[in-house]
Amino acid sequence: MKSSAKKEVQITVAQCVAMGMKHVVVSPGSRNAPMIIALNQHPKIETIVIPDERSAAFYALGMAQQLNAPVGILCTSGSAALNYYPAIAEAFYQQIPLIVFTADRPKSWVNQGDGQTIDQDNVFKNHIRYSITIPESTAENFEWVLSRELSTAFHYANGNVKGPVHINLPFSEPLYLQTEATVTETDFKIIEVLEPNNSLSNSQKQKLEKIWSQSDKKMIICGQLNPDIALLTELKALAADPSVAILVENTSNLVDYGFIHCIDRTLNSISKEEIEAFSPDLLITIGGAVVSKRIKTFLRNANISHHWKIGFDFLFMDTYQSMTQSIPVKPSDFIHEVTHFKRESDSTFGARWKQKDFLIQEKANHYFEQNPAHGDLTVFHTLLDYIPETSHLHMANSSVVRYCQLFDPIRSINYWCNRGTSGIDGSTSTAAGAALIKSETWHTLISGDVSFFYDSNALWNKVLPPNLRVFMINNAGGGIFKIIPGPNTTEELEDFFVFKHDFSAEHICKGFQVDYFKAESLAEIESQMEAFYTFEEDGRAKVMEIFTPSELNHEQLEGFFKEIKL
Ligand SMILES: Cc1ncc(C[n+]2csc(CCOP(=O)(O)OP(=O)(O)O)c2C)c(N)n1
């Protein structure tokens, strides 16, 4: 096997492979040549080339999310590295193991007027779990330092708490010199961290059990989670207890008849007089970000006596300003314990929530049976009916993910969204990376027009998977700003918030050899679905641009909420 002649590069690649990295998304450059050569020549590494670093990093994020394993990204020095930052921040808050390799000039040449050179040491410092600048092979003890540092980085990337880590690699010239790889397993030593499987002591359990059994109104809220069968099984068992309300969103990837899936839809029908009866006294939270703003406001105003946050990450993230205990235990293990707690309460708090949810679901179905007009809401209703079973749905920020919460999730579909930072800058790239990894199933992205144009370089690569479909809802700007309160009270609404425009994706798609479909009505969407979801082995992703009347959307959504109110 050929490789870079640089020993530190050979060790870095060999050790990262040994620690579980199998994929690296590479962006072209010169300073990163030693790593490009070593990665590309390594038989156990799959390299993917994406020229735009911002897109490349999101692409890798989508891959790592699906694999639940470390994925590398590699770029040259200078501003190339900074373009990784949006995806790094997303990975940090979503706990996705991204291994960020940036090539660099040797330290002595930083800030000396050399080209493509910036100060890269710990440059992502606010949103990175670990950062190292690796020694060149001339440094004292370099093999020991390098191996130890790589072990540390992989622990922080892929331990109990996951996230992005930065490995900065300063290279002196020559950069392109190659040799036969000589590094063997004796040239590096992996330090393994054996993390204990946390569990509660008996006295801790007793303390919690006492609170549990004395609480009449118990609520569990699940935020963003990867599909987790063990957790689903435990929560299903707990849902049988009528004193417990279990609230989930589609991004929780937990679907059961006993859960409340459409939080905003249900909250919309809770009157002022009912607030107390629907507020929990014990709140348990699991998972990452919650999309619903309404539930955050509802719970921040509620009189919560106990709030237990379950999980290893962000121990003090007190989203509802009521946290009393942070419990770093695996969520399925914790809920398993809870199902064995004494059930003393005869309250029907959970049943009350469930009943309301059920009645509103009926009303929502009735609303759509009346064939309301073409608009964002009805487009979502139509599209969600067509998402193939056993597939993946990616939702862009921001009104897209909110609209999707209004419809009951489908059990066989996995739901994804970049809710770590809720950016609109990498949704298409993330979905493309995910589709590349799970190539045997359909991946559908629903995106707004602003998000789509923002990340249109997601189409600028040679690996755009044929199992990816993108519905782009063109409502002539950021529709979210017409829905949320505030922007519409200003003179700046159309130009500064919505960014009203009449652009179309047609020629972007043509330029990047992507099949383009266009629809201006529900009937036009439906009539093209079969062709749209036709799979071509050697094809590329397809995009359907759906135009909606921006002046109607807000009114339609308000009408819907009014109509489904109990
Ligand atoms: C990188 C980034 N820049 C700006 C924002 C602020 N922002 C949130 S939503 C939005 C507009 C989204 O418009 P579009 O993608 O068309 O979706 P729609 O609201 O119409 O569904 C903007 C600019 C953001 N979230 N992320």
Side-chain angles (χ1 to χ4, degrees), residues 265 358-370 381 407-408 560 564:
R265 217 175 58 180
F358 184 70
L359 293 172
I360 294 159
Q361 187 178 5
E362 299 251 290
K363 286 199 130 211
N365 290 343
H366 180 67
Y367 175 90
F368 290 107
E369 277 159 16
Q370 295 165 322
H381 179 251
F407 302 90
D408 287 271
F560 171 72
I564 63 166

Side-chain angles (χ1 to χ4, degrees), residues 408-445:
D408 287 271
I410 297 154
R411 195 183 299 266
S412 73
I413 292 178
N414 290 160
Y415 294 82
W416 308 95
C417 182
N418 283 344
R419 290 307 289 180
T421 67
S422 306
I424 58 166
D425 40 3
S427 303
T428 315
S429 300
T430 307
L436 186 82
I437 290 297
K438 297 254 170 86
S439 57
E440 68 290 352
T441 50
W442 287 112
H443 285 252
T444 305
L445 165 70

Side-chain angles (χ1 to χ4, degrees), residues 218-231:
K218 301 182 274 283
M219 178 184 281
I220 299 179
I221 293 201
C222 298
Q224 183 158 27
L225 287 160
N226 281 1
D228 182 341
I229 299 283
L231 178 61

Side-chain angles (χ1 to χ4, degrees), residues 174-313:
L175 301 170
Y176 292 90
L177 209 57
Q178 297 162 59
T179 58
E180 273 303 300
T182 54
V183 164
T184 67
E185 284 181 9
T186 55
D187 290 307
F188 57 85
K189 181 171 66 82
I190 296 171
I191 304 170
E192 235 184 304
V193 178
L194 303 178
E195 289 181 288
N197 195 1
N198 283 9
S199 57
L200 296 167
S201 69
N202 281 340
S203 69
Q204 287 170 329
K205 271 188 241 175
Q206 278 161 11
K207 181 175 164 184
L208 297 178
E209 181 169 21
K210 195 166 166 212
I211 296 171
W212 174 268
S213 55
Q214 286 172 355
S215 302
D216 278 337
K217 300 184 292 173
K218 301 182 274 283
M219 178 184 281
I220 299 179
I221 293 201
C222 298
Q224 183 158 27
L225 287 160
N226 281 1
D228 182 341
I229 299 283
L231 178 61
L232 175 64
T233 310
E234 299 297 344
L235 285 172
K236 272 161 89 93
L238 200 57
D241 179 343
S243 69
V244 184
I246 301 178
L247 275 59
V248 299
E249 298 189 318
N250 60 18
T251 44
S252 318
N253 288 300
L254 296 163
V255 179
D256 184 68
Y257 183 76
F259 304 163
I260 288 100
H261 299 107
C262 299
I263 300 176
D264 281 4
R265 217 175 58 180
T266 312
L267 268 182
N268 177 56
S269 275
I270 294 177
S271 65
K272 268 197 186 127
E273 297 69 42
E274 290 176 311
I275 288 178
E276 185 53 36
F278 280 81
S279 300
D281 42 31
L282 168 60
L283 175 69
I284 301 179
T285 53
I286 295 172
V290 165
V291 177
S292 169
K293 269 194 178 169
R294 284 191 192 201
I295 194 73
K296 287 183 194 158
T297 310
F298 181 82
L299 291 174
R300 281 172 194 160
N301 290 324
N303 200 4
I304 297 169
S305 309
H306 305 275
H307 170 195
W308 305 341
K309 179 193 173 297
I310 316 303
F312 299 100
D313 59 322

Side-chain angles (χ1 to χ4, degrees), residues 397-400 422-425 448-451 454 475 477-481:
N397 290 302
S398 99
S399 76
V400 171
S422 306
I424 58 166
D425 40 3
D449 46 286
V450 178
S451 311
Y454 202 126
N475 53 18
I480 186 75
F481 295 110

Side-chain angles (χ1 to χ4, degrees), residues 262 265 360-385 403-408 522 556-557 559-561 563-564:
C262 299
R265 217 175 58 180
I360 294 159
Q361 187 178 5
E362 299 251 290
K363 286 199 130 211
N365 290 343
H366 180 67
Y367 175 90
F368 290 107
E369 277 159 16
Q370 295 165 322
N371 295 324
H374 172 74
D376 280 358
L377 180 70
T378 45
V379 165
F380 278 102
H381 179 251
T382 303
L383 294 183
L384 293 174
D385 255 1
Y403 269 109
C404 288
Q405 302 305 322
L406 300 176
F407 302 90
D408 287 271
L522 298 177
Q556 186 172 57
L557 187 63
F560 171 72
F561 273 118
E563 193 117 337
I564 63 166

Side-chain angles (χ1 to χ4, degrees), residues 17-76:
V17 168
M19 291 188 296
M21 184 184 77
K22 293 185 180 148
H23 302 83
V24 182
V25 180
V26 174
S27 299
S30 188
R31 191 58 52 171
N32 52 347
M35 280 292 284
I36 290 181
I37 294 162
L39 289 166
N40 188 46
Q41 295 294 331
H42 200 290
K44 291 192 178 161
I45 288 275
E46 189 185 335
T47 46
I48 293 133
V49 184
I50 310 255
D52 176 329
E53 285 86 5
R54 190 181 79 204
S55 171
F58 277 111
Y59 213 96
L61 183 98
M63 293 166 69
Q65 200 172 42
Q66 298 296 320
L67 290 162
N68 204 12
V71 169
I73 47 179
L74 168 70
C75 70
T76 189

